[in-house]
Amino acid sequence: MEISDRAQGINISLQQMEGLENGGFDFDLYQRNANIFTQLGGKATVLPSAWKTGTTIVGIVYKDGIVLGADTRATGGTEVVDKNCEKIHYLAPNIWCCGAGTAADTEKTTELIASNLELLRLSTGTPSRVVTALTLTKRMLYKYQGHVSAALILGGTDVHGPHLYSIHPHGSTQRLPYTTMGSGSLAAMAVFESRYEEDMDEDKAILLVRDGIRAGVFNDLGSGSNVDITVIRNDSTVTRHRKYENAAGDASTYKAKYERPAKLTPPAGTTFVIEETFTPHTKAAGPPAAASAMEV
């Protein structure tokens, strides 16, 4: 809107000030919500919710690098919508990131940072630094003031050694020797605080991360299914353990322990048959007609 008159500009400013002083509810989205309810058949009581990863994500620094871990359950409200959601995201060959929060936000945020790091590597001809990935990510999240629901654990190695950071949705960060995030973070942190040691070897670090994720899976309804683990070493080699362990077990395992009661399996003839007929074809079916090309 173009303001061509000084008096008009003053009036608009006074109207805006009056609106701020009055306060109260804002019904701007009332019509939009009514349209959505209409599109859903008029039976919707709540608006559709975004998929969220619920989540237990963890990371630790060990003697030769970083170990990151995550569960694989994604939820939409109270329903499990994905049992094998990948929550450990690629940022650079030597930098990976675990994501908790809204699934779309974590995936698109890490994709954007990975793209920017790739362009920077092509421009400078040098490997990505972990602090560079951290700065790009925290600045982006701070710009959106927490409306991008992405809580991240960023880990990697570079010329300065291993680095592990937690990044909150509003852009605040912490550098830590071990950290957990997500709805199952308290259960995982209890395991880490009781068993973490400095300069752990790789096998022991992987087992600790596994047990931290298992604690989240069994003590948090938003976490579940499998354990994913990624190991980033100081020599820039990376080992990914996709579905390192099926923490919750397979359905067949539980079914084998359950004996179905005999009364739930009705014998043949339980249902009364009123009438039964069978009419065979009078002639054999001929070859199918030639199919015509589809038209648009």
Side-chain angles (χ1 to χ4, degrees), residues 239-262:
T239 302
R240 301 193 64 205
H241 300 280
R242 186 79 169 103
K243 197 176 178 181
Y244 177 82
E245 179 181 283
N246 186 357
D250 295 315
S252 58
T253 305
Y254 295 102
K255 288 181 179 179
K257 298 179 181 179
Y258 172 74
E259 184 177 352
R260 184 179 176 88

Side-chain angles (χ1 to χ4, degrees), residues 33-48:
N33 294 344
N35 291 335
I36 292 177
F37 290 143
T38 302
Q39 293 172 7
L40 295 176
K43 298 180 180 179
T45 56
V46 294
L47 294 175

Side-chain angles (χ1 to χ4, degrees), residues 177-217:
Y178 59 90
T179 185
T180 66
M181 296 188 82
S183 54
S185 60
L186 294 179
M189 182 58 75
V191 174
F192 279 12
E193 288 185 340
S194 63
R195 292 171 47 188
Y196 177 80
E197 302 172 0
E198 292 186 1
D199 297 327
M200 300 174 69
D201 58 32
E202 183 173 313
D203 292 338
K204 194 172 181 179
I206 290 175
L207 290 178
L208 179 57
V209 167
R210 182 205 66 178
D211 291 344
I213 299 298
R214 283 174 58 90
V217 166

Side-chain angles (χ1 to χ4, degrees), residues 117 120-129:
L117 290 173
L120 188 60
R121 286 197 300 278
L122 293 172
S123 175
T124 61
T126 59
S128 297
R129 303 285 180 91

Side-chain angles (χ1 to χ4, degrees), residues 40-61:
L40 295 176
K43 298 180 180 179
T45 56
V46 294
L47 294 175
S49 60
W51 287 17
K52 299 196 175 184
T53 54
T55 302
T56 302
I57 54 174
V58 305
I60 66 172
V61 179

Side-chain angles (χ1 to χ4, degrees), residues 72-195:
T72 62
R73 172 177 289 182
T75 56
T78 57
E79 298 176 355
V80 177
V81 295
D82 191 351
K83 296 181 180 179
N84 199 24
C85 173
E86 191 170 359
K87 302 181 185 180
I88 304 180
H89 308 280
Y90 168 89
L91 293 184
N94 58 319
I95 307 170
W96 292 73
C97 181
C98 301
T102 302
D105 288 349
T106 58
E107 289 180 11
K108 295 306 174 183
T109 297
T110 52
E111 286 177 9
L112 175 63
I113 301 304
S115 177
N116 289 335
L117 290 173
E118 176 73 15
L119 293 173
L120 188 60
R121 286 197 300 278
L122 293 172
S123 175
T124 61
T126 59
S128 297
R129 303 285 180 91
V130 181
V131 70
T132 304
L134 172 73
T135 303
L136 290 173
T137 306
K138 69 191 295 186
R139 284 181 177 176
M140 177 198 163
L141 293 176
Y142 178 75
K143 180 173 67 174
Y144 289 97
Q145 292 290 296
H147 293 289
V148 175
S149 179
L152 309 171
I153 293 179
L154 187 150
T157 61
D158 54 26
V159 293
H160 299 294
H163 305 266
L164 183 69
Y165 297 93
S166 64
I167 308 174
H168 297 270
H170 288 80
S172 60
T173 61
Q174 295 172 293
R175 183 176 180 180
L176 301 161
Y178 59 90
T179 185
T180 66
M181 296 188 82
S183 54
S185 60
L186 294 179
M189 182 58 75
V191 174
F192 279 12
E193 288 185 340
S194 63
R195 292 171 47 188

